[in-house]
Amino acid sequence: MQLPLEPPAPLFAADESYSVPPSPRAESPNLKELSLSVNYLPNKFSSGLLTPRRRKLGKDNADHPAMHKRGGGREAFKSGEARMPAEGDEDYDGITGRWFGGKEGGHTRPRMHWNRFKWALFIANLALCIYALTGLIFCLLTWFDVFEHADIVRVGNREALILSTAAAALASLTSVIGWAGILLNNRSFLAVYTFALWLCFALLVTPGYVTYKERTFNLEGKLNSQWSRDLGAEGRLRIQNRLHCCGYYSPFVEATVSQSCYSRTVLPGCKEAYVNFEKRVLSIWYTIAFSLVPLQLVIMLAGLLCSNHVTYRFGKGMMPKAYRLSMASMAVIMDNYANQLAEQYGSEIASDILARSRNLDSTTYTSGVASGTGTTRALSHGKYDSMAARAPYTERI
């Protein structure tokens, strides 16, 4: 007859050298305070945690050469790699300069490696920056009356010019935000950048729609009404001076008197020249606006798909609060693990495995205190790291 197996003593409750709370099973604490990670047994952990690979000796891990990689970086999604980044990893989310709260006021230089998503964002934002700055320069030159007929546009197409200037300015500002997010790997900036791209799209198609509607539907009637009601004497004078004409139909119809425009002048009326000029300018205007729509859509698609993958880190690289491990939660996990070992292999083998785990914890703590550099890590993560070293014993069994 097989004797009933006694579960082994809790791992953390029996070791008094660590100032940690005993097993939750002994004191029956409030289960709501435990981490949700207690539902995951060690045999469900990833292979990167159960079978740590020996890392190269270096300044950061000289005291713990067998410690598994903490995660993060471009290799985070490879098989067997941990997902959580460590301190100083390449995908640190934020500015690391001394003016922006870097490590001890210093500068942390990331490794110079860009993934394909970051390259896609770089190319898309470069295209946005080029066409935005080009449009903004042309709009400003028009406002400053640099071109020969710029004053006609300022008088006759003021609404479309204002919309185009606002669209170019917003696109330029958006590209600056995009550069900040791309170069700093800052996903908050990239989120604002992606949202601002939609506003740029709206402002891009608005002047195109306004100019297309004006050019296509009864342009001549609109210009007749504009000349009679909207321009005024000053506006008509500015158009007459640029087009070298006088009056609308003739010098006797709604003309503004000037040194070159009077009753016996030989200058023709402005209607034909003004209508032809508006047809040409409006056609060029909405053609340029609508031709940029496919490019803008590609830029928006790149922002939506790539802004959250500027590095290969998942999310913000932070463990959700409900799943963060505490010593009490680790005690529950180890109790479950011990019971599982006892049921499968017997109480003697389970006790031997747990005893070896305690010895490994003590060794890690002692080495950390002796070196003087790993004390904090041993105190806070020594028991967590023992899980990684426990898997080889179960595989031998």
Side-chain angles (χ1 to χ4, degrees):
M1 182 178 66
Q2 186 177 2
L3 298 176
L5 299 177
E6 297 180 358
L11 174 62
F12 300 139
D15 193 353
E16 297 179 356
S17 61
Y18 302 97
S19 298
V20 297
S23 171
R25 290 192 173 186
E27 298 182 358
S28 300
N30 187 6
L31 296 180
K32 294 182 179 180
E33 299 178 357
L34 297 178
S35 169
L36 294 180
S37 295
V38 300
N39 301 317
Y40 296 91
L41 299 180
N43 60 0
K44 296 182 181 180
F45 291 160
S46 63
S47 59
L49 184 63
L50 294 177
T51 58
R53 293 170 292 180
R54 183 173 294 275
R55 299 177 62 186
K56 296 181 181 180
L57 293 178
K59 182 185 300 184
D60 297 333
N61 55 353
D63 300 328
H64 308 281
M67 187 187 308
H68 63 278
K69 184 179 179 180
R70 286 287 303 278
R74 66 186 181 90
E75 299 179 350
F77 287 100
K78 293 177 62 177
S79 177
E81 293 288 345
R83 304 302 193 256
M84 304 302 294
E87 183 181 2
D89 206 351
E90 67 171 351
D91 52 7
Y92 173 73
D93 188 8
I95 306 173
T96 57
R98 61 188 183 91
W99 296 103
F100 301 97
K103 180 181 178 182
E104 297 181 358
H107 179 73
T108 304
R109 182 182 296 274
R111 288 182 291 174
M112 301 301 294
H113 184 90
W114 287 18
N115 57 34
R116 55 187 176 181
F117 301 107
K118 191 169 184 176
W119 278 112
L121 277 175
F122 176 82
I123 296 173
N125 195 56
L126 180 63
L128 175 66
C129 184
I130 290 174
Y131 93 72
L133 290 179
T134 303
L136 183 61
I137 290 173
F138 272 93
C139 290
L140 292 178
L141 292 179
T142 303
W143 282 111
F144 296 149
D145 198 12
V146 175
F147 304 119
E148 180 181 1
H149 296 107
D151 203 23
I152 304 177
V153 177
R154 293 195 303 171
V155 174
N157 306 101
R158 189 176 187 85
E159 179 183 0
L161 183 59
I162 293 175
L163 292 174
S164 298
T165 306
L170 180 61
S172 301
L173 178 61
T174 302
S175 67
V176 172
I177 298 175
W179 289 128
I182 292 171
L183 299 179
L184 298 174
N185 295 339
N186 193 301
R187 302 187 185 188
S188 300
F189 284 177
L190 291 176
V192 177
Y193 167 76
T194 304
F195 174 75
L197 288 177
W198 290 86
L199 302 180
C200 294
F201 175 75
L203 283 178
L204 174 65
V205 298
T206 301
Y209 170 74
V210 170
T211 53
Y212 175 78
K213 184 179 69 172
E214 184 177 357
R215 167 68 176 80
T216 306
F217 302 106
N218 193 19
L219 175 62
E220 184 176 351
K222 293 175 182 177
L223 295 181
N224 292 341
S225 175
Q226 183 190 55
W227 188 276
S228 301
R229 302 178 181 180
D230 300 332
L231 294 181
E234 182 181 358
R236 290 195 292 265
L237 178 61
R238 293 163 65 178
I239 295 177
Q240 288 175 171
N241 293 335
R242 294 296 182 177
L243 294 178
H244 305 289
C245 57
C246 182
Y248 194 60
Y249 294 100
S250 66
F252 300 100
V253 180
E254 295 182 337
T256 299
V257 178
S258 64
Q259 294 181 354
S260 60
C261 181
Y262 45 91
S263 60
R264 295 186 178 184
T265 184
V266 296
L267 296 177
C270 297
K271 178 179 179 179
E272 182 179 0
Y274 188 41
V275 171
N276 293 334
F277 175 81
E278 285 295 318
K279 285 182 179 180
R280 184 174 67 256
V281 169
L282 293 176
S283 299
I284 296 174
W285 208 316
Y286 69 73
T287 300
I288 294 176
F290 289 149
S291 64
L292 291 175
V293 168
L295 177 60
Q296 180 66 21
L297 291 177
V298 172
I299 296 172
M300 293 165 59
L301 183 64
L304 288 172
L305 296 180
C306 303
S307 62
N308 204 34
H309 303 283
V310 66
T311 59
Y312 280 118
R313 186 193 58 202
F314 179 77
K316 291 186 176 181
M318 298 174 60
M319 178 68 69
K321 186 176 181 180
Y323 289 89
R324 295 174 188 172
L325 291 178
S326 62
M327 302 310 298
S329 302
M330 284 299 299
V332 172
I333 293 177
M334 294 308 301
D335 285 349
N336 295 335
Y337 186 43
N339 290 332
Q340 198 177 57
L341 291 176
E343 293 174 0
Q344 188 172 1
Y345 302 108
S347 58
E348 295 181 359
I349 297 178
S351 300
D352 180 61
I353 294 175
L354 296 179
R356 293 181 183 182
S357 299
R358 295 191 188 95
N359 294 334
L360 181 61
D361 290 339
S362 301
T363 303
T364 305
Y365 175 77
T366 304
S367 62
V369 173
S371 61
T373 57
T375 305
T376 303
R377 179 174 178 83
L379 287 174
S380 59
H381 297 288
K383 292 181 169 54
Y384 297 169
D385 296 337
S386 66
M387 294 174 58
R390 195 173 300 127
Y393 300 122
T394 59
E395 293 175 359
R396 293 173 190 172
I397 296 173

